[in-house]
Amino acid sequence: MRPSTLRLSLAALSGLGALGLSGPASAAELTLALPEGTQVHQVKTSYACPAGAAFTVAYITAGNSALAIVPVAGQELIMANVLAASGARYAGGAYVWWTKGPDAALYDVRQGENAAPVMTCQEKK
């Protein structure tokens, strides 16, 4: 069986300056091999955060795998869905992006297990 592919294009994001977050200077691309017939779904959700900042997160589901592309510290992190007691939790690098309904929070795991989020946001309707 020949695998399908999923091509993710990481393009520059705008509107992140108030958070000290920005997209990459140029676009990059990531290609993943998937089993043939795997259904891929993508949803983009916009969030409003403190100080009037706003950004968009891309959520991608391919078969049993779920990813979130979240702008953090000048780059777009590809985060994988991990176990959560409630909501959807994604981890990548030193960060965790956790959503529960319209609420979202970004955690820096280097600050400790019980540290407050470094940013909280609300889904834009």
Side-chain angles (χ1 to χ4, degrees), residues 62-96:
N64 293 327
S65 299
L67 304 172
I69 301 174
V70 183
V72 178
Q75 60 185 333
E76 290 178 302
L77 286 181
I78 299 173
M79 299 182 168
N81 186 250
V82 296
L83 185 63
S86 66
R89 186 172 165 226
Y90 300 86
Y95 296 94
V96 168

Side-chain angles (χ1 to χ4, degrees), residues 14-84:
S14 61
L16 304 175
L19 291 174
L21 306 177
S22 63
S26 61
E29 197 168 274
L30 170 67
T31 302
L32 303 172
L34 301 170
E36 188 172 337
T38 300
Q39 295 288 324
V40 178
H41 302 280
Q42 179 175 341
V43 174
K44 292 185 178 181
T45 303
S46 295
Y47 292 91
C49 307
F55 62 94
T56 299
V57 173
Y59 295 99
I60 301 164
T61 304
N64 293 327
S65 299
L67 304 172
I69 301 174
V70 183
V72 178
Q75 60 185 333
E76 290 178 302
L77 286 181
I78 299 173
M79 299 182 168
N81 186 250
V82 296
L83 185 63

